[in-house]
Amino acid sequence: MRTLLLLTLGLLTAAPVLAQQPNTLYRATQRKVNDLVHTKLDVRFDYAKRYLYGKEWVTLKPHGYPTDSLRLDAKGMDIKAIALVQGNASQPLKYDYNQQQLLVHLGRIVPAGEAYTIYIEYTAKPDELKAKGSAAITGAKGLYFINPDSAVAGKPVQIWTQGESEANSAWFPTIDKPNQKTTSEISLTVPSKYVTLSNGKLVGQAAAGPGLRTDTWKMDEPHAPYLVMMAIGDFRITKDTWRGKEVAYYLEPRYTAQARQVFGKTPRMLEFFSERLGVAFPWNKYSQIVARDYVSGAMENTTASLFGEQAQGTARELLDWEYAGVEREIAHELFHHWFGDYVTAESWSNLTMNESFANFCEVVWAEHEYGPDAGAAQAERSQSTYLRTPANYTKPLVRFHYDDKEDMFDAVTYQKGGTILNMLRHYLGEDVFFKGLQRYLTQNAFGTGEPHQLRLALEEVSGQDLNWFFNQWYYRAGHPTVTLDYQWDATRKQQAVIVHQTQAGEPFILPLTVDVYAGGRTQHYPVTLRRAVDTLYFPSATRPDLVNVDAEKVLLWQKQDNKSLAEFAYQFRHAPRYLDRREALAAAKAQIANPLAQKILVAGLLDKSPALRSLAIDQLDLQNPALRKAAAPVLAKLATNDSVVQVQAAALLALGTLKEKRYAKLFGKALESKSYRVQGAALQAMLPLDPKQALARATAFEADNKGALTVALVEVYGQAGGPAKWPLVLAKFDAADANGRFNMLSGFAALLGRLDDPTALRQGITRIKDLAVRYKPYGVDARLIALLRELQQHQATRPNAAETTTLVEQAVAEIQAAK
């Protein structure tokens, strides 16, 4: 599972900022009384009522001890009949049902290990279910009807399921825990015009009455109940193969032409991961499907991953895509088919065994496909996501105490866990680490796992004790916070490095490498930090030009590195890694008035990494005359010729802040780009130079705009448009996802401040309020309240001042009262 809730403008982070009280309830792994063996379903759908009519034959075995009862999770259903299947006959059984769990009385004591089959006839009513989602998975009703009555013109009719964490029991009775495994067979009766997808292989299709068809999908290998899935709708299928297995992509018809542009790397990913892990992809096929109104980013349903609509786009939209978006997600969900599907976390407390690995693979694939800088850039994004929210620092990676299982889907489980695996890879070495993963996978195939089993597998192949590593990184909260100081002793020809660990609690054990650059040579020194204060001594014939602590740049820590700017400049020029250069750019930003810092930033504009070129652009202070003079010509070249549209767009926006008419022609040319992102940046850059021209060009884009161009359109109309543009701005705002809405707020609020229509004011203020309430857990409420107050001031001298004040006060009160 991967969420895309990474909102921009610095307003939202990947993890909500919540004040949490420690939970003292121990969350034990679910006891196994009965083991799932096989789940057979026969389902039909009532689109009008949004019901599923189901028949289920579930086979189980008592685990360890005899039992006379069976407890199944079954949320919000109508139970019609329950019976014990005995050959061709069936025996009705008594049961108790509380709308959450179904307790079936078996009528006899069944010995441990003896298989028995229960028949259940039921109606699932997911839209009537009161179910709470999480920050990562915003819905928990299991089964979703999308536009079932075709009420929304142009929107497809679909049905799809989302099982994680324990929501599949909203559409079929099961033991809805990750430590259960079942084979499955699902027969879906659907309108014959639709395509279906489920786990495993399509083994049969048959007419089922006028306009209906029954598709039967069979999954012969056991998988966790939350990974069972269905999807139904008007999809077009594009097929590839890998080692003789079908690899298929299901998209809406209008996006079929882009199917291989989006998903076409999947066969190569399958080959790379299979080779790297030493375990071939263990399933009989792999499909990927894109659905509307999905409640998360994507989900690794066994053999059938489901993606939100961010994973389909027009050819023009795809020009603006970055690795950190959909390609990263594709790798993430595929890697889950080893870590999560093949071997599943035995409990939600151990979710790291699923999600940390999938997060880690995002770095591994970026390295493989795009090189070390790209892998390091993805690793840095991931680590920063964890570090930017202090509430994360109080949570261990393996958590046996939590309020709700949904709390486990956070930046600790994902980003911190992935960073820890990357550290472990570097500590053990590439080959030994991946041999350990192979050992873990083969020892626990089609079963479950926890970190202790991973540790034992890695110890077996490495010959090393790793308790210290797992104790401090898996079972302890937080991370090191360090200060690095340097002392040169000319008499002894000795360089000292003093490392202070300042975090609370015991010091961390930190193996790392220190590189000492002196006399044109680089010496590599492996060291291990163990104490609150460690002083390291390195021989050097001359004063080092640079001492680079954690030279491999893989440690999870926060550091204050007290190097001089000259040393950071040397690091930028000579140290080999992406993070070496990124650290130097950050140091230059902090001392931007220094001419040497300005040289570092200008050099950063030409860095080989597009991520660092973009970062250098963002860190420029173009109000500084010397820096503006040095940087502007480089920015003009980047805006015109850079091979990466994200860098082009950043350069255009930077040039726009100069408000110099000599760049008007450059902006006009950029408006002809095929990239929406470049067009949007050019339009925003043109706005302060020539508002009338920007308004005219914006109007011409009304027929075709997406993403950044839509945001720019709203900004231009907000700053230079009149009341007639409000309906379009409102429509664009309503059609956007959360990222888009936050990006549009500037233009949206600016236009709203100039309107004299009471209806429009109510519409706009209500939407800002709703946004603040929905995302208040992410800490956006204060900034959106400030925005409402600014709007109130803009309206203070206009005809609706009193009504605006009332609306704003009501909105602020609702925001403040929201939980």
Side-chain angles (χ1 to χ4, degrees):
M1 170 61 64
R2 177 66 187 171
T3 176
L4 287 184
L5 196 60
L6 301 175
L7 280 83
T8 54
L9 293 183
L11 290 172
L12 274 72
T13 65
V17 181
L18 299 173
Q20 296 183 344
Q21 296 298 319
N23 190 295
T24 57
L25 179 63
Y26 176 75
R27 303 289 184 173
T29 299
Q30 181 72 20
R31 180 188 173 188
K32 290 186 174 183
V33 177
N34 287 280
D35 289 327
L36 290 171
V37 176
H38 182 66
T39 303
K40 180 180 179 181
L41 298 170
D42 184 345
V43 299
R44 298 169 181 260
F45 305 93
D46 187 326
Y47 282 78
K49 292 182 179 179
R50 305 187 184 197
Y51 285 179
L52 175 149
Y53 301 117
K55 297 177 181 178
E56 176 177 21
W57 295 262
V58 57
T59 301
L60 309 103
K61 292 180 180 179
H63 185 101
Y65 304 92
T67 186
D68 62 357
S69 62
L70 166 65
R71 190 178 299 274
L72 296 172
D73 299 296
K75 300 183 177 75
M77 299 178 182
D78 292 339
I79 305 298
K80 306 295 185 182
I82 298 182
L84 179 68
V85 178
Q86 298 172 313
N88 294 325
S90 61
Q91 173 190 337
L93 296 177
K94 295 180 180 180
Y95 62 90
D96 299 304
Y97 183 46
N98 63 4
Q99 292 296 304
Q100 292 294 311
Q101 289 192 321
L102 186 61
L103 179 62
V104 180
H105 305 284
L106 300 177
R108 68 182 181 93
I109 296 176
V110 182
E114 179 181 304
Y116 64 95
T117 299
I118 299 295
Y119 169 77
I120 305 172
E121 189 171 343
Y122 64 95
T123 300
K125 303 182 290 185
D127 277 33
E128 298 175 18
L129 187 65
K130 306 299 182 188
K132 175 191 173 186
S134 67
I137 311 166
T138 57
K141 60 184 183 179
L143 176 66
Y144 296 79
F145 289 83
I146 307 304
N147 200 26
D149 50 8
S150 300
V152 181
K155 186 174 186 177
V157 176
Q158 297 177 351
I159 296 174
W160 46 263
T161 62
Q162 167 54 40
E164 196 173 33
S165 56
E166 296 177 8
N168 270 345
S169 50
W171 64 274
F172 69 96
T174 188
I175 303 174
D176 208 352
K177 300 297 177 184
N179 63 340
Q180 290 283 343
K181 293 287 178 95
T182 179
T183 55
S184 59
E185 180 179 328
I186 306 179
S187 295
L188 307 85
T189 298
V190 301
S192 53
K193 62 183 177 180
Y194 292 141
V195 168
T196 70
L197 177 64
S198 188
N199 313 98
K201 185 178 181 181
L202 180 62
V203 296
Q205 289 187 302
L212 297 174
R213 187 188 71 250
T214 298
D215 290 356
T216 299
W217 293 84
K218 192 173 182 182
M219 183 74 184
D220 291 327
E221 293 82 22
H223 58 147
Y226 75 86
L227 296 168
V228 175
M229 73 84 71
M230 304 182 297
I232 302 148
D234 182 14
F235 299 103
R236 294 292 182 272
I237 307 172
T238 302
K239 293 185 179 181
D240 282 330
T241 59
W242 172 79
R243 295 190 187 180
K245 296 182 179 184
E246 180 182 287
V247 179
Y249 323 126
Y250 292 63
L251 287 85
E252 293 175 34
R254 66 187 176 122
Y255 297 111
T256 304
Q258 285 74 249
R260 284 195 174 90
Q261 282 182 268
V262 177
F263 292 108
K265 291 185 179 181
T266 303
R268 289 202 293 114
M269 287 184 181
L270 282 161
E271 185 65 26
F272 173 67
F273 290 148
S274 294
E275 288 290 331
R276 202 70 201 89
L277 291 169
V279 177
F281 180 75
W283 312 100
N284 63 1
K285 72 107 163 58
Y286 189 52
S287 300
Q288 293 164 105
I289 188 167
V290 182
R292 291 290 188 101
D293 297 349
Y294 186 49
V295 293
S296 188
M299 178 66 204
E300 66 276 10
N301 308 298
T302 317
T303 76
S305 291
L306 190 151
F307 294 77
E309 59 198 274
Q310 78 281 346
Q312 60 188 5
T314 65
R316 284 193 65 191
E317 287 178 283
L318 266 59
L319 293 174
D320 292 337
W321 284 16
E322 300 179 71
Y323 172 74
V326 175
E327 185 176 342
R328 173 198 54 79
E329 273 194 312
I330 292 169
H332 181 111
E333 306 310 332
L334 177 55
F335 209 67
H336 267 310
H337 280 72
W338 287 268
F339 294 92
D341 296 8
Y342 189 52
V343 182
T344 307
E346 72 166 15
S347 70
W348 301 120
S349 293
N350 293 287
L351 186 60
T352 177
M353 302 310 295
N354 294 5
E355 297 300 349
S356 300
F357 278 95
N359 180 273
F360 164 71
C361 97
E362 299 168 6
V363 174
V364 176
W365 176 253
E367 281 178 4
H368 172 76
E369 188 70 0
Y370 302 106
D373 278 1
Q378 181 58 35
E380 192 279 330
R381 278 190 289 269
S382 190
Q383 186 173 140
S384 294
T385 297
Y386 160 73
L387 289 173
R388 74 166 62 106
T389 306
N392 293 330
Y393 306 169
T394 63
K395 305 172 188 176
L397 183 55
V398 181
R399 240 168 296 160
F400 293 104
H401 300 85
Y402 53 77
D403 289 324
D404 191 289
K405 60 188 179 300
E406 305 301 329
D407 298 340
M408 292 299 299
F409 295 83
D410 63 7
V412 178
T413 296
Y414 285 78
Q415 285 82 9
K416 181 182 182 183
T419 301
I420 288 167
L421 287 169
N422 203 32
M423 286 194 297
L424 191 52
R425 172 174 63 139
H426 282 264
Y427 174 71
L428 292 174
E430 194 84 5
D431 290 342
V432 168
F433 175 77
F434 278 103
K435 284 179 183 176
L437 299 193
Q438 179 189 38
R439 189 71 174 145
Y440 168 79
L441 290 169
T442 54
Q443 286 177 330
N444 302 289
F446 297 110
T448 61
E450 59 176 294
H452 288 303
Q453 289 160 306
L454 174 65
R455 174 180 59 80
L456 291 170
L458 291 167
E459 288 181 343
E460 184 177 340
V461 298
S462 70
Q464 299 186 46
D465 180 278
L466 295 172
N467 269 298
W468 65 271
F469 185 94
F470 280 77
N471 285 341
Q472 74 179 17
W473 289 115
Y474 278 81
Y475 299 101
R476 172 182 174 181
H479 55 270
T481 303
V482 302
T483 301
L484 306 178
D485 293 294
Y486 306 88
Q487 293 177 356
W488 164 245
D489 188 329
T491 302
R492 296 183 178 181
K493 305 295 184 182
Q494 185 172 263
Q495 174 70 51
V497 179
I498 303 97
V499 185
H500 289 78
Q501 293 193 43
T502 60
Q503 74 281 351
E506 292 296 312
F508 280 74
I509 300 172
L510 301 173
L512 51 83
T513 300
V514 178
D515 283 0
V516 179
Y517 293 74
R521 299 180 58 198
T522 307
Q523 295 290 329
H524 309 284
Y525 296 97
V527 301
T528 300
L529 307 177
R530 299 179 182 275
R531 292 173 286 274
V533 181
D534 278 294
T535 302
L536 312 172
Y537 297 97
F538 305 100
S540 182
T542 60
R543 181 173 188 145
D545 298 296
L546 172 68
V547 178
N548 195 6
V549 179
D550 183 28
E552 292 184 317
K553 293 293 181 285
V554 294
L555 281 185
L556 172 57
W557 63 1
Q558 288 175 298
K559 66 178 178 179
Q560 178 181 324
D561 195 349
N562 293 322
K563 287 200 283 270
S564 68
L565 188 59
E567 289 169 318
F568 276 116
Y570 189 94
Q571 179 173 312
F572 183 87
R573 295 193 307 273
H574 296 283
R577 300 183 186 277
Y578 170 90
L579 278 178
D580 291 317
R581 307 192 309 276
R582 197 181 199 284
E583 287 178 359
L585 290 172
K589 170 66 174 176
Q591 303 179 54
I592 201 164
N594 188 313
L596 180 57
Q598 295 170 18
K599 288 181 179 179
I600 296 171
L601 290 173
V602 173
L605 297 176
L606 299 175
D607 194 90
K608 63 181 180 177
S609 165
L612 292 186
R613 295 199 297 276
S614 294
L615 178 65
I617 293 169
D618 291 341
Q619 291 184 331
L620 294 173
D621 176 10
L622 295 178
Q623 301 307 307
N624 181 293
L627 187 53
R628 182 170 64 250
K629 182 179 179 181
V634 184
L635 289 172
K637 290 179 180 179
L638 294 176
T640 306
N641 299 320
D642 199 277
S643 60
V644 177
V645 297
Q646 289 78 20
V647 179
Q648 284 188 46
L652 286 163
L653 289 171
L655 289 172
T657 65
L658 299 179
K659 303 179 184 179
E660 295 182 8
K661 291 191 178 294
R662 60 176 168 152
Y663 296 117
K665 187 176 180 180
L666 187 155
F667 299 153
K669 184 174 177 58
L671 286 173
E672 298 171 7
S673 171
K674 292 182 179 180
S675 161
Y676 290 121
R677 188 163 185 167
V678 171
Q679 286 183 317
L683 189 60
Q684 293 212 50
M686 180 180 286
L687 178 60
L689 281 182
D690 191 341
K692 289 185 179 180
Q693 178 67 6
L695 189 60
R697 297 303 296 266
T699 303
F701 288 131
E702 286 185 6
D704 182 14
N705 60 85
K706 297 285 179 66
L709 182 55
T710 304
V711 172
L713 207 70
V714 170
E715 182 67 22
V716 170
Y717 290 161
Q719 302 297 336
K725 296 300 183 182
W726 175 249
L728 185 143
V729 167
L730 186 64
K732 294 296 182 184
F733 187 88
D734 287 345
D737 61 13
N739 282 317
R741 291 181 185 183
F742 276 95
N743 283 328
M744 290 178 190
L745 277 174
S746 172
F748 184 84
L751 180 57
L752 196 61
R754 301 198 309 277
L755 297 182
D756 293 328
D757 179 357
T759 300
L761 287 166
R762 282 193 298 273
Q763 292 170 332
I765 291 170
T766 297
R767 281 158 175 78
I768 296 171
K769 179 261 296 180
D770 290 345
L771 206 59
V773 169
R774 181 173 182 181
Y775 297 106
K776 185 176 180 179
Y778 293 83
V780 305
D781 49 313
R783 292 185 65 174
L784 294 189
I785 287 173
L787 186 66
L788 288 170
R789 296 295 189 198
E790 290 176 20
L791 174 63
Q792 184 179 352
Q793 291 175 5
H794 286 302
Q795 285 283 331
T797 59
R798 304 185 76 89
N800 296 293
E803 184 171 356
T804 300
T805 296
T806 300
L807 290 169
V808 168
E809 294 300 337
Q810 290 173 346
V812 169
E814 286 188 47
I815 296 167
Q816 291 174 338
K819 299 297 185 184

